[in-house]
Amino acid sequence: MRQIILNEKLTLAFEPLGNKLRLIIFDAGEELVCRKEKHKNLQHFLAEEQAHIFKGRLQLKKIGGIIEVLVKNKSIGVISSNSFEEVLDAFNN
């Protein structure tokens, strides 16, 4: 499992699940929300200049090189698209 720290309490984790990746938000080590998505769809999301992916409790919004992480339509953190891409590439190899 790979992780990106959002703040002192929240972490975005990536876990392989068959031909998909499971994106999980952890709050102080406890699972808050998750979303399963195909690796290919996440790469298409990264390739766009402005994009929005997912419609449930966990959503990602990309503008330029910044990805905003939303839980229940509330922004909980931002990460660079480069960090996100590095994690995806790690699962590609």
Side-chain angles (χ1 to χ4, degrees):
M1 185 180 328
R2 305 272 179 164
Q3 297 182 345
I4 298 174
I5 296 171
L6 299 172
N7 61 35
E8 62 277 348
K9 288 178 38 180
L10 300 172
T11 306
L12 172 62
F14 298 77
E15 181 179 78
L17 186 68
N19 65 344
K20 295 183 177 185
L21 283 178
R22 186 169 176 244
L23 282 71
I24 312 157
I25 300 293
F26 285 103
D27 183 357
E30 193 171 314
E31 189 174 312
L32 191 60
V33 296
C34 78
R35 173 68 190 212
K36 298 171 195 161
E37 190 59 63
K38 290 183 179 179
H39 191 275
K40 169 180 78 165
N41 293 342
L42 294 171
Q43 287 181 320
H44 286 295
F45 165 74
L46 270 180
E48 298 293 323
E49 183 65 25
Q50 290 189 1
H52 188 213
I53 193 167
F54 311 144
K55 292 188 178 188
R57 296 182 334 166
L58 173 60
Q59 298 178 32
L60 302 177
K61 188 186 300 187
K62 180 177 182 276
I63 299 173
I66 301 293
I67 297 173
E68 183 178 20
V69 181
L70 300 129
V71 172
K72 298 179 185 175
N73 292 322
K74 180 183 172 197
S75 179
I76 61 164
V78 294
I79 57 176
S80 74
S81 57
N82 289 337
S83 297
F84 194 89
E85 187 172 19
E86 286 173 12
V87 172
L88 287 185
D89 288 345
F91 286 106
N92 222 10
N93 296 332

